Amino acid sequence: MNTVPHPHAPAHEVWQRPFVRSHRSWCDDFVVELRLRAVPGPVIGDRLGEVETHCAATGDTPTEAFGDPVAYAARIAEEGGTEPVSGVWTVTLLSAAQVVALLVGTAAVTAWARGESLAYDVVQVGFLGVFVLVLLCLPRLVRPLVRHPWAVGGPLAVGVPLLALGAALSDRWDLPVALVLPSAPVAVGLFVAVLGLAWWELRELARGLGDDLVTSPLPPEAGSPAGEGTLRRWTVLLPACMIPVTYPVLAAFGWMLA
């Protein structure tokens, strides 16, 4: 079976095709598994086109013809022959850097409002280090989180807040100071850095979205709804804008409550 999308195929997304809507559960599980295995969107769409063509010719359902969607997707991914999706680690690094800048920068605003320097003790520095490692591991954790949400997500949901609580309470323990920074330059500089990182992330997401849509090699059917352009724009804008919008909001609260 061919795994490369036809070079002259019309580029339209699969989600509004009547076949995909009629077998949405099977198709969703199939696409999610291939996405988790970093298979490019056009290749996924080409495989869905093969499934649709076969089922239209035989009258079988996808389950009858190809079995469990996750197992079938795993076999396709193991066949190889395609380059995995690129840019995931770049976006992860940019997002992690923004989150750390948000935490440090808004803390610097509070210290600035109090007329103090920004100081971190050894526990707080350790918390930041662990938090950065968790953020950087998220691409590796996606598959376990999807397959075992309670077993993997539970410890993360409990562990990260506990670490944050420990870092917040460490001020009462008179621990040695590990890092002292000027609060005003850090607060302003990190906000500028967040804006730059957000712009970079926006460009990466926009480029990746255009190149990695799940498009069908089959001709669009008459009367099919148009593509979901507005939704696609939001999937690019929302992740890139969250930190730049959150930063001044938290900074304002920190200044008022200082």
Side-chain angles (χ1 to χ4, degrees), residues 168-228:
L169 294 177
S170 65
D171 287 336
R172 304 179 181 182
W173 300 337
D174 196 25
L175 296 173
V177 175
L179 185 64
V180 178
L181 300 170
S183 54
V186 168
V188 176
L190 287 180
F191 181 61
V192 174
V194 162
L195 293 177
L197 291 168
W199 172 248
W200 188 357
E201 183 178 359
L202 179 65
R203 295 184 61 185
E204 287 290 327
L205 288 170
R207 182 176 60 185
L209 183 68
D211 296 339
D212 197 40
L213 296 175
V214 182
T215 53
S216 176
L218 304 176
E221 299 184 9
S224 293
E228 302 171 350

Side-chain angles (χ1 to χ4, degrees), residues 231-258:
L231 178 59
R232 293 201 301 269
R233 285 192 292 272
W234 275 110
T235 60
V236 171
L237 288 173
L238 189 58
C241 293
M242 280 194 301
I243 301 299
V245 171
T246 304
Y247 193 112
V249 172
L250 292 182
F253 275 107
W255 187 279
M256 290 186 295
L257 298 175

Side-chain angles (χ1 to χ4, degrees), residues 4-16:
V4 180
H6 193 283
H8 304 297
H12 64 282
E13 290 184 270
V14 302
W15 307 114
Q16 297 302 325

Side-chain angles (χ1 to χ4, degrees), residues 90-113:
T90 301
V91 172
T92 300
L93 289 171
L94 292 172
S95 300
Q98 288 184 77
V99 172
V100 173
L102 173 71
L103 294 175
V104 177
T106 52
V109 170
T110 302
W112 184 10

